[in-house]
Amino acid sequence: MENKKIILTGDRPTGRLHIGHYVGSLRNRVNIQNAGDYDKMFVFIADAQALTDNFENPEKVRQNVIEVALDYLSVGLDPSKVTMFIQSQIPELTELAFYYMNLVTVARLQRNPTVKSEIKMRGFTPEDGGDQVFGSGLPVGFFTYPISQAADITAFKANVVPAGEDQKPMIEQTVEIVRKFNSIYGEGTLVEPEIMLPSNSACLRLPGTDGKAKMSKSLGNCIYLSDSAADLHKKVMSMYTDPTHLNVADPGHVEGNCVFTYLDAFCHDEHFGLYMPDYACLDEMKEHYRRGGLGDVKCKKLLEKILNETLEPVRNRRTELEKDIPAIYEILKKGSEAAREVAASTVEDVKNAMKINYFKDAELIRGQAEKFAK
């Protein structure tokens, strides 16, 4: 039991999940679940966090909760093995975030690289045109979401968080909050988490199909887990490759070439025996592309076959799950009830440590009574 872990991870319901989510975290989650080398595993839908920059469009978040739940179940997450819940249904998370706000400075939030990049991507501009991350339209809730994320993680005393590389600054900030809380209120109250990154470097931050640094719903450069085979074909065939590789005979570059980055993330040597027996492995194919004589279309056709092999069973499971949507909501309801019990226990520990457990502290009540009786 000593080697067991408590796992927590989740996603914002701002749209369907894509293959960047899959290689960055989802695949890891399923592998962890199936290995069974953990005590508890929590997987949640971060709807409250999604509302911080979608507060004027709550229906978007509301509709996408079920989309994310379907994606979770479609890739193989099993509610009998993991606790799947909706963030907003656990009010204890909000309470913890409120307490943690006193432990983080505005300057520290401004330095968080993930916050800075997310603010820039969403177009929140500085009020004075300077370098500050404060923008005239920046909601406080969005600015402080590293604190909210720390509440999510610590509420379940998670010590492992499977996530993509872009989440490293968030986990680091959670560790800072845990250490500061424990140093002030009592060592051992909160648990420090560690991030679990994909072992394959290509999976750390999968680029978009247009070659942009990150696959993002807002940039429209995603391949979704639920895409049909026809949609997948269109997206793969339009993918960014090497702009200098104009003719088949031209030498090509694999670095920065989306097709090869995706092949790094998804293909195995066995795929070449199945789909492209001219090569024994991806390195051989890359070498041919570099020296010239290998066309982009041939590379894309291989990638399409490999992605279809991965996504077809996901699509099929989703089709079956969509036939009973009330059952999906029941899974989320039961998971939320179970998660709330765990979070409530942590809140009690936190309030005891902070000495704000007035009605449960018999010694305090007795001592005050004696003081005023004198």
Side-chain angles (χ1 to χ4, degrees):
M1 193 69 175
E2 291 180 1
N3 295 324
K4 296 289 186 179
K5 302 291 185 183
I6 297 178
I7 316 289
L8 180 123
T9 184
D11 299 277
R12 288 159 47 98
T14 53
R16 294 171 293 155
L17 301 183
H18 52 65
I19 61 173
H21 293 115
Y22 180 74
V23 298
S25 181
L26 288 174
R27 185 163 59 185
N28 248 359
R29 298 175 199 178
V30 175
N31 290 339
I32 294 167
Q33 167 195 273
N34 293 340
D37 188 26
Y38 60 93
D39 184 25
K40 293 180 181 178
M41 184 170 177
F42 300 91
V43 183
F44 73 104
I45 301 172
D47 62 324
Q49 196 175 98
L51 284 168
T52 61
D53 59 327
N54 290 278
F55 58 90
E56 293 179 329
N57 189 9
E59 191 61 27
K60 172 187 174 183
V61 175
R62 180 181 176 85
Q63 293 296 326
N64 280 313
V65 165
I66 194 68
E67 295 283 0
V68 173
L70 286 166
D71 283 332
Y72 282 170
L73 296 167
S74 297
V75 299
L77 287 173
D78 184 346
S80 71
K81 298 178 180 178
V82 304
T83 302
M84 201 176 296
F85 67 93
I86 302 175
Q87 183 187 38
S88 64
Q89 305 307 297
I90 318 297
E92 288 78 7
L93 302 180
T94 308
E95 185 174 0
L96 287 175
F98 181 77
Y99 299 145
Y100 296 166
M101 284 182 184
N102 294 322
L103 307 177
V104 184
T105 66
V106 170
R108 177 63 183 90
L109 287 173
Q110 284 182 291
R111 293 196 305 271
N112 187 303
T114 302
V115 173
K116 290 168 73 173
S117 64
E118 293 287 340
I119 287 172
K120 183 178 180 180
M121 187 172 73
R122 284 163 175 76
F124 295 127
T125 55
E127 294 174 342
D128 60 0
D131 293 331
Q132 290 183 337
V133 298
F134 285 119
S136 58
L138 177 62
V140 172
F142 184 80
F143 182 59
T144 60
Y145 85 83
I147 301 172
S148 169
Q149 192 159 321
D152 298 332
I153 295 168
T154 58
F156 302 96
K157 300 190 176 179
N159 47 20
V160 178
V161 181
E165 188 180 37
D166 61 324
Q167 291 299 307
K168 283 181 69 176
M170 309 297 278
I171 307 304
E172 289 167 0
Q173 187 138 31
T174 297
V175 170
E176 290 175 15
I177 290 171
V178 167
R179 289 178 179 175
K180 189 161 187 179
F181 184 97
N182 286 346
S183 69
I184 295 172
Y185 299 113
E187 293 297 335
T189 306
L190 299 178
V191 175
E192 286 188 25
E194 293 182 2
I195 191 168
M196 177 186 286
L197 294 169
S199 56
N200 183 339
S201 61
C203 301
L204 293 176
R205 190 185 294 263
L206 200 67
T209 56
D210 56 359
K212 293 293 191 324
K214 184 179 180 181
M215 184 172 286
S216 166
K217 295 181 280 284
S218 60
L219 295 175
N221 59 4
C222 301
I223 293 175
Y224 293 102
L225 294 171
S226 55
D227 275 346
S228 67
D231 287 337
L232 177 64
H233 174 77
K234 291 177 187 176
K235 291 179 179 182
V236 171
M237 289 302 154
S238 65
M239 282 179 68
Y240 177 86
T241 55
D242 175 8
T244 69
H245 190 244
L246 302 177
N247 301 297
V248 173
D250 293 338
H253 299 85
V254 300
E255 295 77 14
N257 186 323
C258 288
V259 172
F260 283 98
T261 303
Y262 284 32
L263 286 171
D264 278 327
F266 282 93
C267 86
H268 306 289
D269 290 349
E270 295 78 13
H271 286 132
F272 290 91
L274 288 170
Y275 304 126
M276 196 173 281
D278 295 348
Y279 309 101
C281 62
L282 183 56
D283 285 340
E284 284 189 11
M285 184 179 172
K286 285 181 177 179
E287 182 55 36
H288 190 180
Y289 189 82
R290 287 189 178 104
R291 69 174 183 264
L294 177 58
D296 289 322
V297 171
K298 189 172 182 179
C299 299
K300 288 179 177 180
K301 285 182 177 178
L302 172 64
L303 176 61
E304 181 184 359
K305 288 175 182 176
I306 292 171
L307 288 178
N308 258 321
E309 179 185 291
T310 300
L311 297 182
E312 185 175 5
V314 176
R315 292 189 209 109
N316 292 341
R317 281 194 291 268
R318 196 180 218 272
T319 299
E320 291 302 310
L321 290 164
E322 288 172 352
K323 294 176 182 177
D324 192 357
I325 293 301
I328 310 301
Y329 279 108
E330 187 61 24
I331 288 170
L332 295 174
K333 181 175 180 289
K334 288 181 178 179
S336 297
E337 290 169 350
R340 188 172 183 189
E341 288 185 16
V342 178
S345 175
T346 299
V347 168
E348 185 171 356
D349 291 342
V350 164
K351 293 175 83 169
N352 288 340
M354 295 178 70
K355 306 299 184 184
I356 54 175
N357 56 342
Y358 307 108
F359 307 129
K360 293 185 177 181
D361 191 339
E363 185 177 342
L364 168 70
I365 296 170
R366 183 172 58 254
Q368 292 293 335
E370 291 173 355
K371 182 178 80 171
F372 286 99
K374 293 179 181 178

